[in-house]
Amino acid sequence: MRNKISIKKYAALLAAAALGLTVTACSVPGEAGTARDSVEAGGDSGAGTESEAQELPASQEYTSVDGTYKVTLLEGLEQTDMQFQVNSSMMALDGDSGRKSFSVISLGSPKGSIPGNPASVESLEDYADHVSNLALDGSGVTVAWEDGEAETPEWALRCLVREGVAKSGATRGQAYAYYVETDEGYYSVILVGRNEDVEDARKVFALEVLEGALTARGSLAFISGMTAVLNTMNGASVVETVRAMEEMGADESQMETIRTQSVQALSDSWGVEDAAGLMERADRLINEGHNQDALEFLGEHGGMEAADRTALEAGLEGEDEETRNSVLAAYDAWAAYGDAAISAWDLSRVGSIMGYGYAAGYCTYEEAMDKSLEAASKAQSSFASWEDFNRSYLYGYAYWRGESLDDLESSAAERMGIVETLASQTNGPFSVDWNMELDREW
């Protein structure tokens, strides 16, 4: 194949999905954990007699930047990584001079944090459709996929194989895709290239899901945890996606589109027009934010003098539902966390606004992360655990929206469900040690 899967195009699509909403996060490459599960989808990957092993192409293991999975493929491929958030990343592998038209894209993520922000993924087939479309769109390569056969390993819920002829103009080649569903996430590997290259790769191909990936991760993973709910809703991190696009050499038109969108978002949603305004707004979130407003609002409605929550509810009978919900959310937060009340809601958004500031050109990556680290330090000093931070965050969102967390149809309840899902993940964003020492790692 003359044309390869376009990594720049893939990154641009993910960035566009993220930048449509107010979200940012960042992560740091982690050390590979212990191999928990593996599946070999091609040959015996080296098993058998010595003569049989010598007939296999030279192979190499490639580990994702977040340390959550690795793939075994042909030796000497050039690896490029994109981190979306904790335990969600893409790994692109390109052939050397001898395999110029061979490309691989692999992806691993929790089910609730699929990059590209699909509207709905209810099955492994839905996931496969989404990933293949996202990976190939704009690459100049088309594939007519047909389902193949593969045995589901014991540790997985399902696996799916698709094969097809890859076309790029008058050139033909081969495509092979492998998808796996586990209890918590999805993993995919897509191979495209000349027939002989894809066939060689399939002989040594293996996928392994790793555990213990976050044990050695530091401040960047902590910061990512603070914005994990928004990352999950949007499927990517603004600051890390934009940074990866720059490192991958995305063209100026793509970067200009992102800058324009970010400038508009900061102006419309935050009233931020320049670098000074960005820093001023971030400092207000860290030091006052909606938390100060909520405490004053609670005081105005007698919440701090009420004998208990029941008495406060009785005193709010004449108020509209939105006001009642906001007052009660502020009261619950104040009763649980005192003056810190809903400050987690403010602190979680520092990374968001700084991510947009970086994308808009109002600050450097280092400045964005420095301010996010300041917010993380404030969070640690204000709350004792991820559970407390997330509860304060939910109270803050409910206050801001005028909703009740008990209303299962509300957006506040939806966010509560996301928190619960993330908290249940083995290598999820809240498995990071809350009491870790926060350092400047960039």
Side-chain angles (χ1 to χ4, degrees):
M1 305 288 294
R2 282 198 304 269
N3 296 336
K4 297 187 295 184
I5 295 174
S6 172
I7 306 308
K8 295 178 185 177
K9 178 65 176 179
Y10 190 91
L13 289 168
L14 295 174
L19 289 174
L21 300 165
T22 52
V23 56
T24 187
C26 23
S27 304
V28 64
E31 297 180 1
T34 303
R36 182 184 75 199
D37 309 309
S38 66
V39 58
E40 297 173 3
D44 59 12
S45 196
T49 66
E50 182 177 351
S51 61
E52 289 173 336
Q54 290 175 347
E55 295 176 1
L56 291 174
S59 63
Q60 180 178 336
E61 292 181 344
Y62 301 89
T63 302
S64 64
V65 67
D66 57 6
T68 57
Y69 70 97
K70 67 180 179 180
V71 294
T72 300
L73 280 166
L74 299 171
E75 185 178 56
L77 302 179
E78 179 183 355
Q79 180 173 342
T80 305
D81 295 286
M82 177 179 285
Q83 179 83 46
F84 305 115
Q85 56 177 304
V86 171
N87 71 6
S88 180
S89 67
M90 180 192 78
M91 179 165 52
L93 302 167
D94 286 319
D96 56 16
S97 59
R99 302 181 189 272
K100 287 184 177 180
S101 55
F102 180 68
S103 289
V104 179
I105 280 183
S106 64
L107 190 66
S109 70
K111 291 181 176 178
S113 308
I114 300 171
N117 198 26
S120 176
V121 172
E122 299 181 356
S123 67
L124 187 57
E125 285 79 6
D126 288 345
Y127 172 77
D129 292 342
H130 169 69
V131 170
S132 61
N133 289 338
L134 195 60
L136 295 175
D137 184 35
S139 68
V141 177
T142 60
V143 180
W145 296 106
E146 295 184 0
D147 290 344
E149 295 184 1
E151 182 178 352
T152 300
E154 294 181 0
W155 52 268
L157 297 178
R158 285 192 64 201
C159 74
L160 174 67
V161 165
R162 288 178 175 174
E163 306 174 58
V165 175
K167 300 179 181 180
S168 178
T171 307
R172 299 291 185 272
Q174 187 179 151
Y176 175 84
Y178 187 85
Y179 305 96
V180 175
E181 178 184 4
T182 67
D183 288 330
E184 295 182 354
Y186 291 114
Y187 300 86
S188 58
V189 184
I190 301 176
L191 291 66
V192 177
R194 297 180 304 177
N195 291 343
E196 55 267 36
D197 292 335
V198 173
E199 289 169 2
D200 280 349
R202 290 179 60 177
K203 292 175 183 177
V204 298
F205 168 61
L207 168 67
E208 294 186 19
V209 178
L210 305 173
E211 62 183 13
L214 299 182
T215 56
R217 300 174 68 85
S219 301
L220 285 164
F222 188 97
I223 292 170
S224 185
M226 291 177 62
T227 55
V229 176
L230 287 173
N231 287 344
T232 297
M233 295 185 69
N234 295 285
S237 156
V238 174
V239 67
E240 291 299 336
T241 301
V242 172
R243 187 184 188 214
M245 288 182 67
E246 292 177 340
E247 292 178 347
M248 291 175 181
D251 62 56
E252 181 57 30
S253 64
Q254 291 174 339
M255 301 309 300
E256 181 58 32
T257 297
I258 290 173
R259 279 193 292 269
T260 300
Q261 291 174 344
S262 299
V263 167
Q264 191 68 41
L266 286 170
S267 178
D268 292 347
S269 300
W270 296 92
V272 170
E273 305 292 344
D274 52 28
L278 173 70
M279 291 301 179
E280 181 181 351
R281 180 64 68 173
D283 286 338
R284 187 176 189 279
L285 285 173
I286 293 173
N287 298 314
E288 299 177 12
H290 280 96
N291 186 59
Q292 186 63 37
D293 297 337
L295 292 174
E296 293 175 0
F297 189 70
L298 179 62
E300 291 170 1
H301 288 81
M304 294 178 178
E305 289 77 34
D308 53 32
R309 195 180 195 276
T310 301
L312 176 60
E313 286 184 276
L316 294 172
E317 287 185 358
E319 302 288 352
D320 61 84
E321 183 179 6
E322 183 175 326
T323 297
R324 290 198 304 273
N325 287 336
S326 291
V327 172
L328 291 173
Y331 176 84
D332 289 339
W334 174 70
Y337 307 117
D339 289 343
I342 67 166
S343 60
W345 165 243
D346 296 317
L347 296 172
S348 72
R349 293 180 297 149
V350 173
S352 175
I353 191 173
M354 294 308 299
Y356 274 110
Y358 170 52
Y362 293 163
C363 67
T364 65
Y365 175 79
E366 290 74 19
E367 288 171 333
M369 299 315 302
D370 286 347
K371 190 59 68 174
S372 297
L373 183 63
E374 186 178 339
S377 297
K378 179 71 174 291
Q380 269 191 339
S381 66
S382 301
F383 302 98
S385 65
W386 282 113
E387 181 179 1
D388 288 337
F389 178 85
N390 288 327
R391 197 66 188 173
S392 170
Y393 168 89
L394 291 171
Y395 285 143
Y397 183 81
Y399 163 80
W400 180 67
R401 292 282 297 183
E403 296 179 350
S404 171
L405 291 169
D406 294 328
D407 178 5
L408 299 181
E409 302 299 319
S410 69
S411 61
E414 178 187 8
R415 295 210 177 196
M416 183 167 61
I418 293 173
V419 167
E420 292 171 350
T421 297
L422 294 174
S424 69
Q425 294 173 353
T426 303
N427 281 330
F430 309 138
S431 62
V432 177
D433 181 11
W434 177 263
N435 297 308
M436 72 164 62
E437 183 176 351
L438 296 174
D439 298 313
R440 190 175 187 274
E441 301 173 352
W442 40 88

